[in-house]
Amino acid sequence: MAKAAPAEQLKLLELQGLDAKLKSLANRRRTLETDPRITDLQDALSVANGALGTAKLAVHDAETELRRSEADVEQVASRIERDEARLNSGTGLSKDLVALQSDIASLSKRRSDLEDVELEILERLDGLRERQAAQQQIVDDIQGSFSGIRTELDTAIAEIVAEETQVRAQRTGFAEGLDAGMLAIYEKTLAKRGVGAARLFHGKSEGSGMTLSPGDLAEVKAAAEDEIVFCPDSGCILVRSAEWN
């Protein structure tokens, strides 16, 4: 049967307090690390970036279409310019000059149609660029919110990590002064049960929050003061004191 002096067993409550503090800090850190706002903003950013990509592609396609349209207009304008130069020179047969006039008229009509198409593309491109700019603003706003929340969380996590480091160092120093055999039992119990030690206070185990049955309580009270006893419900070490009975 494992034994430790009553005064030594009482020290387990302070050790348990430090472990409870570390557990609380770890839970707080995990809560911050899994903040749902980050996930929500990441999802929103993914959707917004997808829409932005679609908007950029639409602008790119319209710009490509505009360049082709401009090239078509320029090509027709060049042909008109050449034909008008030949016509104005007055050289050539009469029928050839008449044909040139007819070609110029057809080309002018073609240029007008192409310019109308070019204008339509320009107007559509303006709208697409406005849509892209609006979508870019949405992405920028989400990224701004994400950065702000990320900074807030990182600051809070850093503070918790610093406190964890301090408490862990305090715990290490305190544990070094405890009875080695008792500490080994405590560590094993803590790892298995989640709670290493708790008070037995007026018949109630603070490890389980339950009042011990008359039989269990009688058995615990009958144990020697230096005997290490355990909570029948939670399995943690029960720390006793005459003033708590």
Side-chain angles (χ1 to χ4, degrees):
M1 188 67 67
K3 295 180 180 293
E8 195 71 10
Q9 291 188 41
L10 282 171
K11 295 177 182 178
L12 289 178
L13 296 179
E14 186 173 347
L15 183 63
Q16 178 60 61
L18 293 171
D19 284 328
K21 179 66 173 178
L22 286 172
K23 184 177 181 179
S24 174
L25 289 169
N27 288 337
R28 284 170 55 195
R29 175 166 45 79
R30 280 193 293 270
T31 298
L32 292 172
E33 289 170 345
T34 58
D35 192 306
R37 292 177 298 172
I38 291 295
T39 302
D40 291 344
L41 285 172
Q42 286 174 330
D43 291 343
L45 187 59
S46 177
V47 172
N49 275 325
L52 179 59
T54 299
K56 287 181 176 179
L57 181 60
V59 169
H60 176 270
D61 290 346
E63 288 175 341
T64 300
E65 187 180 357
L66 178 61
R67 286 193 294 270
R68 286 198 299 264
S69 179
E70 289 172 339
D72 289 342
V73 171
E74 185 177 350
Q75 184 179 27
V76 172
S78 295
R79 287 183 58 188
I80 292 174
E81 186 177 350
R82 288 196 302 271
D83 287 352
E84 286 180 339
R86 288 176 58 191
L87 181 63
N88 292 334
S89 70
T91 59
L93 299 175
S94 177
K95 64 177 182 178
D96 292 336
L97 296 177
V98 171
L100 277 174
Q101 288 178 327
S102 178
D103 286 345
I104 290 171
S106 296
L107 288 170
S108 295
K109 175 64 169 64
R110 173 64 176 160
R111 181 172 64 179
S112 177
D113 292 341
L114 288 174
E115 287 174 342
D116 287 342
V117 171
E118 182 181 359
L119 180 61
E120 182 276 326
I121 296 172
L122 276 170
E123 292 175 348
R124 179 156 45 89
L125 181 58
D126 285 343
L128 292 172
R129 283 171 173 163
E130 289 178 0
R131 188 178 307 170
Q132 177 184 332
Q135 191 61 39
Q136 181 66 61
Q137 185 61 54
I138 292 174
V139 169
D140 291 345
D141 289 344
I142 295 174
Q143 288 177 330
S145 297
F146 181 89
S147 296
I149 292 174
R150 185 70 270 170
T151 298
E152 169 193 331
L153 293 175
D154 287 345
T155 299
I157 290 171
E159 291 174 353
I160 290 175
V161 170
E163 188 173 357
E164 281 180 312
T165 300
Q166 180 181 1
V167 175
R168 192 170 289 110
Q170 183 181 353
R171 194 239 193 233
T172 299
F174 183 77
E176 288 175 351
L178 299 180
D179 177 84
M182 181 189 70
L183 178 62
I185 295 172
Y186 171 87
E187 297 286 16
K188 184 177 180 179
T189 304
L190 178 67
K192 184 177 181 180
R193 304 293 184 177
V195 178
R199 288 198 309 173
L200 175 62
F201 189 71
H202 296 307
K204 181 178 182 180
S205 166
E206 293 185 347
S208 65
M210 304 288 291
T211 299
L212 272 64
S213 69
D216 288 334
L217 184 58
E219 185 175 340
V220 168
K221 287 185 174 182
E225 289 185 353
D226 63 349
E227 185 178 328
I228 295 177
V229 298
F230 299 88
C231 171
D233 295 306
S234 69
C236 72
I237 297 172
L238 278 181
V239 179
R240 297 160 291 159
S241 173
E243 62 188 49
W244 298 340
N245 290 331

